[in-house]
Amino acid sequence: MKIPLVDLVAQYKTIQHEIDEEISSVLHEAAFIQGDRVRKFERTYSDVYGTANTISCANGTDAIYIALKVLGIGPGDEVITTAHSWISTSEVISQTGAKPVFVDVEPNHFTIDTSRIEAKINDRTRAIIPVHLYGHPANMGDILSIAKKHELQVIEDCAQAHFAKYNGQNVGTFGQFGTFSFFPGKNLGAYGDAGGLITDDNELAVRARMFANHGALTKHAHKIEGINSRLDGLQAGILNVKLNYIQEWTKQRILIAKRYDEQLAGISELTLPTVASNAEHVFHLYVVRTERRDELLKFLNEHGVGASIHYPRALPLLEAYSYMGHTKDDFPVSGQNQEQIMSLPIYPELSLEQQQFVTSCIRDFFSK
Ligand SMILES: *Cc1c(COP(=O)(O)O)cnc(C)c1O
């Protein structure tokens, strides 16, 4: 049996007819950039997500960059973020001219350790970017009270956490902006790069829309210099189809995670993901930890299981940030996680039989 980490073809087959029809319409209308499908996506996403404004853009990295620029963050500023994420989260901070300041993650949830944030705040600090990593919400209660106390902006990186909830409220709706990626492999994915921002602040929404479209709200009326970061019609059409299924797919991810919990319970050398009591985790990834990670990963891959590592190195320990001179001791939890974490296959179409194969391989490994 061969079980990939994520199977986008399996998902395509379940909606093939609708998708093919949508793609064909886009081609026949030549509705490639912006247009009705993009507007429809923004409206529907706002409605189902419970936000006043959705501004689509070219990808999830741009979404964070646009939010930072619109909030006026630039040279001389510092932005606090997590030590454990995909590099998009921190590279866009640098791109504005500001400095990323990393904070270690919680021992249990892979999200920013809010008890370590205040020690990193100084008079240059302007914003916090929490990441709801793997689909588990960061501790927004603490983050919002720290932000209020120190007058900081909050941008939530929701690239892996569409519809995850904190105290029953969708992530992305707590800060000034929530940013999303619709990269194909994300919980809600297009068939190419795509992204978006949400905000309840209408003024911020207008500025974000303008900045993402060459600084113009209407053609040739460039009020500022912006960037070219737009969602195309093809991707919007695909996302419109998929939006009808996202709730069902999310439920399925949660169910599969629960089955992993049950099927992998009681292996003393394996730590399973935990969910905070006030959180709804949407399991973009199901990440386990073990001291025998490299051995287990090799074993699984040899047996056709597409387990993998997200991410092999904490952000501040990447070569890109070597100029900061950080060592593992600066980030004890992330530093240890990078040696121990492993992501198991999870996607809505993963069958019970496939999942049982994955877990029996893992049981085999640990019984030796
Ligand atoms: C995927 C991802 C991004 C960036 O999204 P792209 O659409 O690939 O640019 C940002 N942050 C996190 C945590 C991600 O997983």
Side-chain angles (χ1 to χ4, degrees), residues 8 11 181-186 188-195 231-232 234-236 238-239 242:
L8 297 176
Q11 183 172 83
S181 168
F182 306 116
F183 176 84
K186 299 289 160 80
L188 178 62
Y191 291 153
D193 279 311
L231 181 64
D232 63 64
L234 212 53
Q235 304 308 338
I238 287 155
L239 288 169
K242 287 193 169 194

Side-chain angles (χ1 to χ4, degrees), residues 59-61 64 85-86 88-89 131 133 157 159-160 181-183 186 193-194 311:
N59 56 68
T61 309
I64 313 168
S85 184
W86 174 242
S88 299
T89 315
V131 181
L133 200 73
D157 181 348
Q160 304 188 0
S181 168
F182 306 116
F183 176 84
K186 299 289 160 80
D193 279 311
Y311 301 91

Side-chain angles (χ1 to χ4, degrees), residues 297-317:
L297 183 65
K298 186 161 171 272
F299 183 86
L300 289 176
N301 289 167
E302 279 168 5
H303 286 78
V305 175
S308 148
I309 303 172
H310 301 86
Y311 301 91
R313 227 171 238 275
L315 292 176
L317 306 177

Side-chain angles (χ1 to χ4, degrees), residues 1-12:
M1 208 182 294
K2 242 187 136 49
I3 302 164
L5 182 74
V6 42
D7 190 345
L8 297 176
V9 177
Q11 183 172 83
Y12 169 59

Side-chain angles (χ1 to χ4, degrees), residues 84-261:
H84 185 52
S85 184
W86 174 242
I87 192 169
S88 299
T89 315
S90 50
E91 68 184 352
V92 291
I93 299 171
S94 305
Q95 275 160 22
T96 68
K99 179 186 165 198
V101 175
F102 296 106
V103 171
D104 207 2
V105 297
E106 290 186 24
N108 294 322
H109 300 131
F110 306 104
T111 51
I112 191 165
D113 184 343
T114 53
S115 71
R116 296 175 189 261
I117 292 177
E118 283 195 289
K120 302 279 178 90
I121 294 177
N122 60 41
D123 55 9
R124 291 181 297 279
T125 311
R126 295 281 315 280
I128 308 175
I129 307 182
V131 181
H132 307 300
L133 200 73
Y134 306 151
H136 188 288
N139 184 342
M140 290 312 299
D142 283 1
I143 290 164
L144 292 179
S145 52
I146 293 166
K148 192 167 178 206
K149 183 172 156 196
H150 298 275
E151 295 179 43
L152 306 176
Q153 315 274 10
V154 176
I155 300 167
E156 299 175 64
D157 181 348
C158 310
Q160 304 188 0
H162 315 70
F163 300 94
K165 290 171 183 62
Y166 178 86
N167 285 337
Q169 185 181 333
N170 280 336
V171 299
T173 59
F174 294 91
Q176 274 65 48
F177 281 108
T179 65
F180 293 86
S181 168
F182 306 116
F183 176 84
K186 299 289 160 80
N187 287 20
L188 178 62
Y191 291 153
D193 279 311
L197 306 83
I198 62 171
T199 181
D200 280 332
D201 185 321
N202 295 339
E203 210 173 301
L204 287 181
V206 169
R207 277 153 60 193
R209 195 174 290 289
M210 191 161 77
F211 183 73
N213 189 34
H214 300 293
L217 288 170
T218 53
K219 209 167 186 179
H220 302 307
H222 306 279
K223 293 193 182 208
I224 54 167
E225 284 184 334
I227 58 172
N228 178 5
S229 184
R230 299 177 298 216
L231 181 64
D232 63 64
L234 212 53
Q235 304 308 338
I238 287 155
L239 288 169
N240 284 332
V241 171
K242 287 193 169 194
L243 260 181
N244 295 318
Y245 298 92
I246 184 64
Q247 308 294 350
E248 199 179 309
W249 288 337
T250 302
K251 272 191 207 143
Q252 200 57 26
R253 284 179 182 276
I254 294 169
L255 184 88
I256 290 165
K258 207 172 195 168
R259 287 205 305 240
Y260 269 135
D261 289 346

